Amino acid sequence: MSQTKLFEPYKLGGITLPNRLVMAPLTRNRAVPGSFVPSPLAIDYYGQRASAGLLITEASQISQQGQGYQDTPGIYSREQVAGWRKVTDRVHEQGGRIFIQIWHVGRISHDSLQPGGGKPVAPSAIRAKGKTFVNGTFTDISEPRELDLSEIPGIIEDFKRGTENALAAGFDGIEIHGANGYLLDQFAKDGTNKRTDAYGGAIENRAKLMLEVSKAVAAVAGAERTGIRISPVTPANDVSDSNPQPLFDHIVDGLNALKLTYIHVVEGATGGPRDNAPFDYGSLRKRFKQAYVANNGYDFDLATKVLAEDAADLIAFGKPFISNPDLVERLKKGAPLNAFDKATFYGGGAKGYTDYPTLGARQAAE
C-alpha cells in the first residue's frame, strides 16, 4: 500500500487534490423530467463521493439541441444553474472538488428530444448505428442532418455560455466532452465527417471544432480550470477513424498549446477492451505538458503500476464509484468493494444511486 502514488496529493492548476483518484463522468438519467435540473438526489449522490481527488459530473448538455438521452441534466437555464449550485455547495461542504462535464451529443439523439421535434445535427448526415435511451427504453438513434457552416459559431457560443453558467453554479472547473462519438469526436474522425469545407478533409480541418471549443471554454474559465476528455480509438456510438494516431497527436499538440489543465484519455474501447486497436498513448503523454488522466478498466493494481511508471498523473474510476461512495477509503484499506447493480444505472430513484452502503455503515450493520 505504501508503494502506491494513488493516495498522494496532486496539484491540478490552482487546486490541490488530496489523492489521484478521479470519479469519471457517469450518465445516470435522473434529472428532473422536462426541466432537466439535477434532482435533489444528485446533491446526496455527489456529496457522498466527495472524498475522490476530483469529481467530474455526468455529462450535461449545453443546449436542448445538445441532448441525446432522457433526463440528462442541462447547464443552459437559470433553473439548471440553481440546481447545480446546490450540488457544488454540498460537495464543497464535504471538502470536495468538482468539475462539470459539458457536452453536445451531435447525431446521438432522437427527434423527440430535439427543439420542435427536428433532426439531430452532425458534421455529415450519416445515421449512427445504435440506440439511445428515451421514454424509458432504448430506441434507434434518429437520422441527423448536416450542420450548416453558418451554425457552427452558435455551437461554440453554446459551449461558452455553458461554461459561464457552470462557473455561476460554483464548479471548480470544466471538462469538455470530446470523446465517445459525440459531436466534437464526430467532427474529428473521418468515419463520421465527410465534409468538404473548412471543417472537413485534412486532419487540421477535422480537429478544428474541438480546438475552437477548447479555446473558447478556456478563455472563459481559464486554461487552469479547463480539461477535455478524448477517446482516440473507441468504437462507441459507431465512430471510427482510419488513422487515429496522427489525428490525436495533432489534437493534443493543439490542446497543449492552449495549456489546458488536463487531458482525460479513454484508453481503448469505452467500457470495453483496453487493447481493441493499436494506439500509442505514450505519444499523447509526451506531447501534453499538464496532467494526463488515464481512464478505462482501471483497478488498484493497474492504477498503481501506471502511476509508478509515470504514464499518468491521475486515474479515473467509473463503475466502482457508482456502488462505492467511499471508494478511496476502501482502496486504501484493501477492503472489498460493493458490487454494482447494472439494472439501476440509468433512470430511477434512490435505489442503485444513493443507497450503496459505506464501509462504516456496512460494518456497523454486521
Side-chain angles (χ1 to χ4, degrees):
M1 199 67 67
S2 60
Q3 300 307 304
T4 186
K5 291 164 76 176
L6 194 56
F7 308 116
E8 290 179 1
Y10 183 81
K11 188 126 179 14
L12 183 72
I15 57 176
T16 299
L17 312 183
N19 57 67
R20 296 178 184 234
L21 280 90
V22 174
M23 177 171 142
L26 296 155
T27 299
R28 304 306 305 274
N29 305 90
R30 282 170 166 87
V32 178
S35 68
F36 310 115
V37 172
S39 78
L41 283 171
I43 303 168
D44 294 335
Y45 173 73
Y46 287 107
Q48 288 170 349
R49 289 156 179 77
S51 60
L54 178 66
L55 298 173
I56 305 172
T57 72
E58 62 212 280
S60 303
Q61 58 266 9
I62 52 168
S63 63
Q64 187 185 346
Q65 184 196 71
Q67 184 174 0
Y69 305 86
Q70 169 187 326
D71 301 338
T72 54
I75 189 64
Y76 56 89
S77 77
R78 276 180 302 192
E79 294 77 16
Q80 291 160 1
V81 171
W84 277 122
R85 168 58 83 170
K86 293 174 184 172
V87 172
T88 62
D89 283 351
R90 175 68 62 83
V91 169
H92 292 146
E93 283 163 16
Q94 301 292 331
R97 299 130 303 272
I98 185 167
F99 277 35
I100 186 173
Q101 189 190 62
I102 58 174
W103 71 345
H104 189 307
V105 299
R107 68 180 188 157
I108 308 302
S109 187
H110 192 267
D111 297 349
S112 66
L113 297 172
Q114 291 294 305
K119 290 184 173 184
V121 299
S124 303
I126 305 167
R127 187 177 193 160
K129 297 181 184 74
K131 305 275 186 185
T132 184
F133 186 65
V134 289
N135 303 318
T137 187
F138 285 93
T139 307
D140 286 343
I141 291 162
S142 297
E143 183 185 340
R145 66 173 179 84
E146 182 173 313
L147 272 167
D148 189 78
L149 199 56
S150 66
E151 295 177 276
I152 290 176
I155 300 272
I156 298 169
E157 191 60 34
D158 285 341
F159 272 99
K160 186 178 166 190
R161 193 176 305 110
T163 302
E164 290 165 349
N165 288 342
L167 297 177
F171 283 100
D172 297 303
I174 316 292
E175 177 173 289
I176 301 158
H177 200 340
N180 294 352
Y182 297 115
L183 186 69
L184 302 183
D185 204 27
Q186 291 161 26
F187 266 85
K189 290 176 178 170
D190 60 16
T192 39
N193 184 344
K194 306 296 183 187
R195 300 175 75 96
T196 55
D197 59 16
Y199 288 89
I203 280 172
E204 293 77 10
N205 292 355
R206 287 183 279 120
K208 195 171 152 81
L209 184 59
M210 195 181 295
L211 295 175
E212 286 178 342
V213 164
S214 299
K215 184 177 181 181
V217 170
V220 174
E224 74 284 355
R225 295 210 285 176
T226 304
I228 187 169
R229 193 182 209 199
I230 54 175
S231 54
V233 296
T234 191
N237 291 313
D238 195 27
V239 74
S240 64
D241 191 80
S242 61
N243 197 4
Q245 192 76 53
L247 171 63
F248 279 89
D249 283 349
H250 172 79
I251 285 171
V252 169
D253 282 344
L255 298 171
N256 183 63
L258 292 171
K259 296 184 165 59
L260 298 198
T261 198
Y262 69 74
I263 53 171
H264 179 180
V265 185
V266 180
E267 299 169 344
T270 309
R274 292 175 48 78
D275 58 354
N276 68 308
F279 192 85
D280 179 11
Y281 299 100
S283 173
L284 307 187
R285 172 73 166 150
K286 287 190 199 84
R287 289 166 186 274
F288 192 73
K289 303 308 178 201
Q290 286 70 243
Y292 180 106
V293 184
N295 177 289
N296 200 28
Y298 277 83
D299 58 14
F300 176 82
D301 290 339
L302 183 57
T304 294
K305 176 175 179 286
V306 166
L307 289 172
E309 292 169 352
D310 198 32
D313 299 295
L314 301 164
I315 307 291
F317 291 80
K319 293 187 190 77
F321 263 116
I322 288 179
S323 51
N324 298 278
D326 56 346
L327 181 65
V328 177
E329 183 188 359
R330 286 171 184 268
L331 293 180
K332 258 186 190 168
K333 292 180 174 175
L337 302 186
N338 294 325
F340 53 75
D341 174 13
K342 200 170 181 182
T344 58
F345 278 4
Y346 305 115
K351 184 174 167 53
Y353 190 52
T354 55
D355 65 344
Y356 284 106
T358 62
L359 198 55
R362 183 174 286 282
Q363 288 167 345
E366 285 172 355

Short mmCIF file of all heavy atoms in Angstrom, two decimals, residues 306-366:
data_model
loop_
_atom_site.label_atom_id
_atom_site.label_comp_id
_atom_site.label_asym_id
_atom_site.label_seq_id
_atom_site.Cartn_x
_atom_site.Cartn_y
_atom_site.Cartn_z
N VAL A 306 0.62 2.06 -13.36
CA VAL A 306 0.70 3.15 -14.34
C VAL A 306 1.26 4.43 -13.69
O VAL A 306 2.07 5.14 -14.29
CB VAL A 306 -0.69 3.37 -14.98
CG1 VAL A 306 -0.75 4.69 -15.74
CG2 VAL A 306 -1.00 2.21 -15.92
N LEU A 307 0.85 4.69 -12.45
CA LEU A 307 1.39 5.86 -11.74
C LEU A 307 2.88 5.68 -11.44
O LEU A 307 3.67 6.63 -11.56
CB LEU A 307 0.61 6.11 -10.45
CG LEU A 307 -0.83 6.63 -10.60
CD1 LEU A 307 -1.53 6.64 -9.26
CD2 LEU A 307 -0.86 8.01 -11.25
N ALA A 308 3.27 4.47 -11.07
CA ALA A 308 4.68 4.20 -10.77
C ALA A 308 5.55 4.38 -12.01
O ALA A 308 6.71 4.81 -11.91
CB ALA A 308 4.83 2.78 -10.22
N GLU A 309 4.99 4.06 -13.17
CA GLU A 309 5.72 4.20 -14.43
C GLU A 309 5.68 5.63 -14.97
O GLU A 309 6.24 5.91 -16.03
CB GLU A 309 5.13 3.24 -15.47
CG GLU A 309 5.38 1.77 -15.15
CD GLU A 309 4.56 0.83 -16.03
OE1 GLU A 309 3.69 1.31 -16.80
OE2 GLU A 309 4.79 -0.38 -15.95
N ASP A 310 4.99 6.51 -14.25
CA ASP A 310 4.80 7.90 -14.67
C ASP A 310 4.13 7.98 -16.05
O ASP A 310 4.37 8.90 -16.84
CB ASP A 310 6.13 8.67 -14.69
CG ASP A 310 5.91 10.17 -14.69
OD1 ASP A 310 4.91 10.63 -14.10
OD2 ASP A 310 6.71 10.89 -15.34
N ALA A 311 3.24 7.02 -16.32
CA ALA A 311 2.49 7.02 -17.58
C ALA A 311 1.19 7.83 -17.45
O ALA A 311 0.49 8.03 -18.44
CB ALA A 311 2.17 5.58 -18.00
N ALA A 312 0.86 8.25 -16.24
CA ALA A 312 -0.32 9.08 -15.99
C ALA A 312 -0.10 9.84 -14.69
O ALA A 312 0.75 9.47 -13.87
CB ALA A 312 -1.57 8.23 -15.91
N ASP A 313 -0.87 10.90 -14.51
CA ASP A 313 -0.83 11.68 -13.27
C ASP A 313 -2.01 11.36 -12.36
O ASP A 313 -1.90 11.39 -11.14
CB ASP A 313 -0.85 13.18 -13.58
CG ASP A 313 0.35 13.60 -14.41
OD1 ASP A 313 1.48 13.49 -13.90
OD2 ASP A 313 0.16 13.99 -15.58
N LEU A 314 -3.16 11.12 -12.98
CA LEU A 314 -4.40 10.86 -12.26
C LEU A 314 -5.10 9.68 -12.91
O LEU A 314 -4.92 9.43 -14.11
CB LEU A 314 -5.32 12.09 -12.31
CG LEU A 314 -4.75 13.39 -11.74
CD1 LEU A 314 -5.57 14.60 -12.19
CD2 LEU A 314 -4.72 13.33 -10.21
N ILE A 315 -5.89 8.96 -12.12
CA ILE A 315 -6.58 7.78 -12.63
C ILE A 315 -8.08 7.95 -12.41
O ILE A 315 -8.53 8.19 -11.29
CB ILE A 315 -6.12 6.48 -11.93
CG1 ILE A 315 -4.59 6.34 -11.98
CG2 ILE A 315 -6.82 5.27 -12.55
CD1 ILE A 315 -4.00 6.08 -13.34
N ALA A 316 -8.85 7.80 -13.49
CA ALA A 316 -10.31 7.92 -13.40
C ALA A 316 -10.94 6.55 -13.24
O ALA A 316 -10.65 5.63 -13.99
CB ALA A 316 -10.86 8.61 -14.64
N PHE A 317 -11.79 6.45 -12.24
CA PHE A 317 -12.57 5.24 -11.99
C PHE A 317 -14.04 5.56 -12.27
O PHE A 317 -14.54 6.60 -11.82
CB PHE A 317 -12.43 4.80 -10.52
CG PHE A 317 -11.06 4.28 -10.15
CD1 PHE A 317 -10.03 5.17 -9.88
CD2 PHE A 317 -10.82 2.93 -10.07
CE1 PHE A 317 -8.76 4.70 -9.52
CE2 PHE A 317 -9.55 2.45 -9.71
CZ PHE A 317 -8.53 3.34 -9.44
N GLY A 318 -14.73 4.66 -12.96
CA GLY A 318 -16.12 4.88 -13.29
C GLY A 318 -17.06 4.04 -12.46
O GLY A 318 -17.47 4.42 -11.36
N LYS A 319 -17.38 2.85 -12.96
CA LYS A 319 -18.38 2.00 -12.29
C LYS A 319 -18.07 1.74 -10.81
O LYS A 319 -19.01 1.70 -10.01
CB LYS A 319 -18.53 0.67 -13.04
CG LYS A 319 -19.14 0.80 -14.42
CD LYS A 319 -19.41 -0.57 -15.02
CE LYS A 319 -19.80 -0.47 -16.49
NZ LYS A 319 -18.63 -0.23 -17.36
N PRO A 320 -16.80 1.57 -10.39
CA PRO A 320 -16.57 1.36 -8.95
C PRO A 320 -17.10 2.50 -8.08
O PRO A 320 -17.49 2.28 -6.94
CB PRO A 320 -15.05 1.24 -8.84
CG PRO A 320 -14.61 0.77 -10.19
CD PRO A 320 -15.55 1.41 -11.16
N PHE A 321 -17.15 3.72 -8.63
CA PHE A 321 -17.68 4.85 -7.86
C PHE A 321 -19.21 4.82 -7.77
O PHE A 321 -19.79 5.41 -6.86
CB PHE A 321 -17.24 6.19 -8.45
CG PHE A 321 -16.03 6.77 -7.76
CD1 PHE A 321 -14.85 6.95 -8.46
CD2 PHE A 321 -16.07 7.16 -6.43
CE1 PHE A 321 -13.72 7.49 -7.84
CE2 PHE A 321 -14.96 7.70 -5.79
CZ PHE A 321 -13.78 7.87 -6.50
N ILE A 322 -19.87 4.14 -8.72
CA ILE A 322 -21.32 4.04 -8.65
C ILE A 322 -21.72 3.32 -7.37
O ILE A 322 -22.60 3.77 -6.63
CB ILE A 322 -21.88 3.30 -9.89
CG1 ILE A 322 -21.77 4.19 -11.14
CG2 ILE A 322 -23.32 2.85 -9.67
CD1 ILE A 322 -22.28 3.55 -12.42
N SER A 323 -21.08 2.20 -7.11
CA SER A 323 -21.50 1.35 -6.00
C SER A 323 -20.67 1.52 -4.73
O SER A 323 -20.97 0.90 -3.71
CB SER A 323 -21.47 -0.13 -6.43
OG SER A 323 -20.24 -0.47 -7.01
N ASN A 324 -19.65 2.37 -4.81
CA ASN A 324 -18.78 2.59 -3.64
C ASN A 324 -18.56 4.08 -3.43
O ASN A 324 -17.56 4.64 -3.91
CB ASN A 324 -17.44 1.87 -3.84
CG ASN A 324 -17.62 0.38 -3.96
OD1 ASN A 324 -17.72 -0.32 -2.96
ND2 ASN A 324 -17.67 -0.12 -5.20
N PRO A 325 -19.47 4.74 -2.70
CA PRO A 325 -19.29 6.17 -2.47
C PRO A 325 -17.98 6.48 -1.77
O PRO A 325 -17.40 7.54 -1.96
CB PRO A 325 -20.50 6.54 -1.61
CG PRO A 325 -21.05 5.26 -1.07
CD PRO A 325 -20.70 4.21 -2.06
N ASP A 326 -17.50 5.52 -0.98
CA ASP A 326 -16.24 5.69 -0.24
C ASP A 326 -15.12 4.86 -0.89
O ASP A 326 -14.30 4.24 -0.20
CB ASP A 326 -16.42 5.26 1.22
CG ASP A 326 -16.95 3.83 1.35
OD1 ASP A 326 -17.43 3.25 0.34
OD2 ASP A 326 -16.91 3.27 2.46
N LEU A 327 -15.06 4.90 -2.22
CA LEU A 327 -14.07 4.09 -2.94
C LEU A 327 -12.65 4.37 -2.47
O LEU A 327 -11.84 3.44 -2.34
CB LEU A 327 -14.19 4.35 -4.46
CG LEU A 327 -13.24 3.54 -5.33
CD1 LEU A 327 -13.54 2.06 -5.26
CD2 LEU A 327 -13.29 4.03 -6.79
N VAL A 328 -12.33 5.63 -2.19
CA VAL A 328 -10.96 5.98 -1.77
C VAL A 328 -10.61 5.22 -0.49
O VAL A 328 -9.55 4.58 -0.41
CB VAL A 328 -10.83 7.50 -1.55
CG1 VAL A 328 -9.43 7.84 -1.03
CG2 VAL A 328 -11.12 8.26 -2.84
N GLU A 329 -11.48 5.26 0.49
CA GLU A 329 -11.23 4.57 1.76
C GLU A 329 -11.11 3.06 1.57
O GLU A 329 -10.23 2.40 2.14
CB GLU A 329 -12.36 4.86 2.76
CG GLU A 329 -12.12 4.24 4.14
CD GLU A 329 -13.32 4.36 5.07
OE1 GLU A 329 -14.35 4.93 4.68
OE2 GLU A 329 -13.21 3.84 6.19
N ARG A 330 -11.98 2.49 0.74
CA ARG A 330 -11.95 1.04 0.51
C ARG A 330 -10.64 0.62 -0.14
O ARG A 330 -10.05 -0.40 0.24
CB ARG A 330 -13.15 0.62 -0.35
CG ARG A 330 -14.48 0.63 0.41
CD ARG A 330 -15.64 0.42 -0.54
NE ARG A 330 -16.92 0.52 0.15
CZ ARG A 330 -17.59 -0.49 0.68
NH1 ARG A 330 -17.11 -1.72 0.59
NH2 ARG A 330 -18.75 -0.30 1.28
N LEU A 331 -10.19 1.38 -1.13
CA LEU A 331 -8.93 1.02 -1.79
C LEU A 331 -7.75 1.20 -0.84
O LEU A 331 -6.81 0.39 -0.83
CB LEU A 331 -8.73 1.86 -3.05
CG LEU A 331 -9.71 1.59 -4.21
CD1 LEU A 331 -9.40 2.50 -5.39
CD2 LEU A 331 -9.68 0.13 -4.65
N LYS A 332 -7.80 2.23 -0.01
CA LYS A 332 -6.73 2.46 0.98
C LYS A 332 -6.61 1.28 1.93
O LYS A 332 -5.52 0.85 2.31
CB LYS A 332 -7.04 3.72 1.79
CG LYS A 332 -6.25 4.93 1.39
CD LYS A 332 -6.53 6.08 2.34
CE LYS A 332 -5.93 7.35 1.78
NZ LYS A 332 -6.38 8.54 2.49
N LYS A 333 -7.75 0.76 2.37
CA LYS A 333 -7.77 -0.32 3.36
C LYS A 333 -7.73 -1.71 2.74
O LYS A 333 -7.69 -2.71 3.47
CB LYS A 333 -9.03 -0.19 4.23
CG LYS A 333 -9.02 1.04 5.12
CD LYS A 333 -10.28 1.13 5.96
CE LYS A 333 -10.17 2.29 6.95
NZ LYS A 333 -11.43 2.48 7.71
N GLY A 334 -7.77 -1.78 1.41
CA GLY A 334 -7.84 -3.08 0.76
C GLY A 334 -9.14 -3.80 1.06
O GLY A 334 -9.20 -5.03 1.08
N ALA A 335 -10.19 -3.02 1.34
CA ALA A 335 -11.49 -3.60 1.70
C ALA A 335 -12.23 -4.05 0.45
O ALA A 335 -12.00 -3.53 -0.65
CB ALA A 335 -12.32 -2.56 2.45
N PRO A 336 -13.14 -5.01 0.59
CA PRO A 336 -13.93 -5.44 -0.58
C PRO A 336 -14.83 -4.32 -1.08
O PRO A 336 -15.23 -3.44 -0.31
CB PRO A 336 -14.76 -6.62 -0.05
CG PRO A 336 -14.76 -6.48 1.44
CD PRO A 336 -13.49 -5.78 1.81
N LEU A 337 -15.11 -4.36 -2.38
CA LEU A 337 -15.98 -3.36 -2.99
C LEU A 337 -17.41 -3.88 -3.08
O LEU A 337 -17.63 -5.07 -3.27
CB LEU A 337 -15.48 -3.01 -4.40
CG LEU A 337 -14.05 -2.49 -4.54
CD1 LEU A 337 -13.79 -2.06 -5.98
CD2 LEU A 337 -13.78 -1.33 -3.58
N ASN A 338 -18.38 -2.96 -2.95
CA ASN A 338 -19.76 -3.32 -3.24
C ASN A 338 -19.89 -3.65 -4.72
O ASN A 338 -19.31 -2.95 -5.57
CB ASN A 338 -20.71 -2.13 -2.97
CG ASN A 338 -20.79 -1.72 -1.52
OD1 ASN A 338 -20.73 -2.57 -0.64
ND2 ASN A 338 -20.92 -0.43 -1.26
N ALA A 339 -20.66 -4.67 -5.04
CA ALA A 339 -20.96 -4.96 -6.45
C ALA A 339 -22.01 -3.96 -6.93
O ALA A 339 -22.87 -3.53 -6.18
CB ALA A 339 -21.50 -6.38 -6.58
N PHE A 340 -21.90 -3.56 -8.21
CA PHE A 340 -22.90 -2.62 -8.73
C PHE A 340 -24.08 -3.38 -9.34
O PHE A 340 -23.95 -4.54 -9.75
CB PHE A 340 -22.30 -1.65 -9.76
CG PHE A 340 -21.53 -2.30 -10.89
CD1 PHE A 340 -22.19 -2.93 -11.93
CD2 PHE A 340 -20.14 -2.26 -10.90
CE1 PHE A 340 -21.47 -3.50 -12.98
CE2 PHE A 340 -19.41 -2.84 -11.94
CZ PHE A 340 -20.09 -3.47 -12.98
N ASP A 341 -25.23 -2.71 -9.37
CA ASP A 341 -26.45 -3.27 -9.94
C ASP A 341 -26.70 -2.57 -11.27
O ASP A 341 -27.19 -1.44 -11.32
CB ASP A 341 -27.62 -3.03 -8.97
CG ASP A 341 -28.96 -3.46 -9.54
OD1 ASP A 341 -28.96 -4.16 -10.58
OD2 ASP A 341 -30.00 -3.09 -8.96
N LYS A 342 -26.38 -3.25 -12.37
CA LYS A 342 -26.47 -2.65 -13.70
C LYS A 342 -27.90 -2.21 -14.05
O LYS A 342 -28.11 -1.25 -14.78
CB LYS A 342 -25.95 -3.65 -14.73
CG LYS A 342 -25.54 -3.02 -16.02
CD LYS A 342 -24.80 -3.99 -16.93
CE LYS A 342 -24.40 -3.28 -18.22
NZ LYS A 342 -23.72 -4.16 -19.15
N ALA A 343 -28.88 -2.92 -13.49
CA ALA A 343 -30.29 -2.62 -13.79
C ALA A 343 -30.69 -1.22 -13.32
O ALA A 343 -31.67 -0.66 -13.82
CB ALA A 343 -31.20 -3.66 -13.15
N THR A 344 -29.93 -0.64 -12.37
CA THR A 344 -30.28 0.68 -11.85
C THR A 344 -29.33 1.78 -12.34
O THR A 344 -29.37 2.91 -11.83
CB THR A 344 -30.28 0.68 -10.30
OG1 THR A 344 -28.97 0.27 -9.84
CG2 THR A 344 -31.32 -0.27 -9.75
N PHE A 345 -28.50 1.49 -13.35
CA PHE A 345 -27.58 2.50 -13.86
C PHE A 345 -28.32 3.72 -14.40
O PHE A 345 -27.96 4.85 -14.13
CB PHE A 345 -26.71 1.93 -14.98
CG PHE A 345 -25.50 1.15 -14.51
CD1 PHE A 345 -25.27 0.89 -13.18
CD2 PHE A 345 -24.59 0.65 -15.44
CE1 PHE A 345 -24.15 0.17 -12.76
CE2 PHE A 345 -23.47 -0.07 -15.04
CZ PHE A 345 -23.26 -0.31 -13.69
N TYR A 346 -29.35 3.46 -15.23
CA TYR A 346 -30.00 4.54 -15.98
C TYR A 346 -31.42 4.77 -15.52
O TYR A 346 -32.27 3.87 -15.58
CB TYR A 346 -29.98 4.22 -17.48
CG TYR A 346 -28.59 3.95 -18.00
CD1 TYR A 346 -28.23 2.69 -18.49
CD2 TYR A 346 -27.62 4.95 -17.99
CE1 TYR A 346 -26.95 2.45 -18.96
CE2 TYR A 346 -26.33 4.71 -18.45
CZ TYR A 346 -26.00 3.46 -18.93
OH TYR A 346 -24.73 3.22 -19.38
N GLY A 347 -31.71 6.00 -15.07
CA GLY A 347 -33.05 6.34 -14.64
C GLY A 347 -33.38 5.76 -13.28
O GLY A 347 -32.60 5.02 -12.69
N GLY A 348 -34.57 6.14 -12.76
CA GLY A 348 -34.99 5.62 -11.48
C GLY A 348 -34.77 6.63 -10.36
O GLY A 348 -34.59 7.82 -10.59
N GLY A 349 -34.78 6.12 -9.13
CA GLY A 349 -34.67 6.98 -7.95
C GLY A 349 -33.44 6.67 -7.14
O GLY A 349 -32.35 6.46 -7.67
N ALA A 350 -33.64 6.59 -5.82
CA ALA A 350 -32.51 6.41 -4.90
C ALA A 350 -31.87 5.03 -5.03
O ALA A 350 -30.67 4.88 -4.83
CB ALA A 350 -32.97 6.63 -3.47
N LYS A 351 -32.67 4.03 -5.38
CA LYS A 351 -32.15 2.66 -5.47
C LYS A 351 -31.05 2.58 -6.53
O LYS A 351 -31.25 2.97 -7.68
CB LYS A 351 -33.29 1.68 -5.80
CG LYS A 351 -32.84 0.22 -5.83
CD LYS A 351 -34.04 -0.70 -6.01
CE LYS A 351 -33.63 -2.12 -6.37
NZ LYS A 351 -32.67 -2.70 -5.44
N GLY A 352 -29.90 2.09 -6.12
CA GLY A 352 -28.77 1.99 -7.05
C GLY A 352 -28.12 3.32 -7.35
O GLY A 352 -27.30 3.42 -8.27
N TYR A 353 -28.48 4.34 -6.57
CA TYR A 353 -27.94 5.69 -6.80
C TYR A 353 -27.31 6.23 -5.51
O TYR A 353 -26.10 6.41 -5.44
CB TYR A 353 -29.07 6.59 -7.30
CG TYR A 353 -28.64 7.94 -7.83
CD1 TYR A 353 -27.64 8.08 -8.80
CD2 TYR A 353 -29.29 9.10 -7.40
CE1 TYR A 353 -27.28 9.32 -9.29
CE2 TYR A 353 -28.93 10.36 -7.90
CZ TYR A 353 -27.93 10.46 -8.84
OH TYR A 353 -27.58 11.70 -9.33
N THR A 354 -28.15 6.42 -4.49
CA THR A 354 -27.64 6.98 -3.23
C THR A 354 -27.72 6.00 -2.07
O THR A 354 -27.44 6.38 -0.92
CB THR A 354 -28.44 8.25 -2.85
OG1 THR A 354 -29.83 7.92 -2.81
CG2 THR A 354 -28.21 9.36 -3.87
N ASP A 355 -28.09 4.74 -2.35
CA ASP A 355 -28.30 3.79 -1.24
C ASP A 355 -27.21 2.74 -1.09
O ASP A 355 -27.35 1.80 -0.31
CB ASP A 355 -29.67 3.11 -1.37
CG ASP A 355 -29.77 2.21 -2.61
OD1 ASP A 355 -28.92 2.34 -3.52
OD2 ASP A 355 -30.70 1.39 -2.66
N TYR A 356 -26.10 2.88 -1.81
CA TYR A 356 -24.99 1.93 -1.62
C TYR A 356 -24.31 2.22 -0.28
O TYR A 356 -23.98 3.38 0.01
CB TYR A 356 -23.96 2.04 -2.75
CG TYR A 356 -24.41 1.40 -4.04
CD1 TYR A 356 -24.81 2.17 -5.13
CD2 TYR A 356 -24.41 0.01 -4.19
CE1 TYR A 356 -25.20 1.58 -6.33
CE2 TYR A 356 -24.80 -0.58 -5.38
CZ TYR A 356 -25.20 0.21 -6.45
OH TYR A 356 -25.59 -0.38 -7.63
N PRO A 357 -24.08 1.20 0.54
CA PRO A 357 -23.53 1.45 1.88
C PRO A 357 -22.04 1.77 1.87
O PRO A 357 -21.28 1.25 1.05
CB PRO A 357 -23.78 0.13 2.61
CG PRO A 357 -23.81 -0.91 1.53
CD PRO A 357 -24.39 -0.22 0.33
N THR A 358 -21.64 2.63 2.79
CA THR A 358 -20.22 2.87 3.02
C THR A 358 -19.67 1.70 3.84
O THR A 358 -20.43 0.91 4.42
CB THR A 358 -19.99 4.18 3.77
OG1 THR A 358 -20.64 4.06 5.05
CG2 THR A 358 -20.54 5.37 3.01
N LEU A 359 -18.35 1.64 3.91
CA LEU A 359 -17.69 0.61 4.69
C LEU A 359 -18.13 0.69 6.15
O LEU A 359 -18.48 -0.32 6.79
CB LEU A 359 -16.19 0.81 4.57
CG LEU A 359 -15.28 -0.37 4.93
CD1 LEU A 359 -15.64 -1.62 4.14
CD2 LEU A 359 -13.83 0.02 4.67
N GLY A 360 -18.16 1.91 6.69
CA GLY A 360 -18.56 2.09 8.09
C GLY A 360 -19.98 1.65 8.35
O GLY A 360 -20.26 0.98 9.36
N ALA A 361 -20.88 1.98 7.43
CA ALA A 361 -22.29 1.60 7.59
C ALA A 361 -22.44 0.08 7.53
O ALA A 361 -23.22 -0.52 8.27
CB ALA A 361 -23.15 2.29 6.52
N ARG A 362 -21.69 -0.54 6.61
CA ARG A 362 -21.78 -1.99 6.47
C ARG A 362 -21.26 -2.69 7.72
O ARG A 362 -21.85 -3.65 8.22
CB ARG A 362 -21.00 -2.45 5.24
CG ARG A 362 -21.07 -3.94 4.96
CD ARG A 362 -20.38 -4.31 3.65
NE ARG A 362 -21.14 -3.92 2.49
CZ ARG A 362 -22.20 -4.60 2.03
NH1 ARG A 362 -22.63 -5.68 2.67
NH2 ARG A 362 -22.83 -4.21 0.94
N GLN A 363 -20.13 -2.20 8.23
CA GLN A 363 -19.54 -2.83 9.42
C GLN A 363 -20.45 -2.65 10.65
O GLN A 363 -20.60 -3.54 11.47
CB GLN A 363 -18.15 -2.24 9.70
CG GLN A 363 -17.11 -2.73 8.67
CD GLN A 363 -15.83 -1.94 8.70
OE1 GLN A 363 -15.76 -0.85 9.27
NE2 GLN A 363 -14.78 -2.49 8.09
N ALA A 364 -21.10 -1.45 10.74
CA ALA A 364 -21.98 -1.19 11.88
C ALA A 364 -23.20 -2.11 11.83
O ALA A 364 -23.75 -2.47 12.89
CB ALA A 364 -22.44 0.27 11.83
N ALA A 365 -23.60 -2.50 10.61
CA ALA A 365 -24.79 -3.35 10.47
C ALA A 365 -24.48 -4.82 10.72
O ALA A 365 -25.39 -5.63 10.88
CB ALA A 365 -25.37 -3.17 9.07
N GLU A 366 -23.19 -5.15 10.72
CA GLU A 366 -22.83 -6.58 10.87
C GLU A 366 -22.75 -6.99 12.32
O GLU A 366 -22.53 -6.20 13.20
CB GLU A 366 -21.49 -6.84 10.17
CG GLU A 366 -21.63 -6.86 8.65
CD GLU A 366 -20.28 -6.93 7.94
OE1 GLU A 366 -19.24 -6.86 8.60
OE2 GLU A 366 -20.29 -7.02 6.69
#
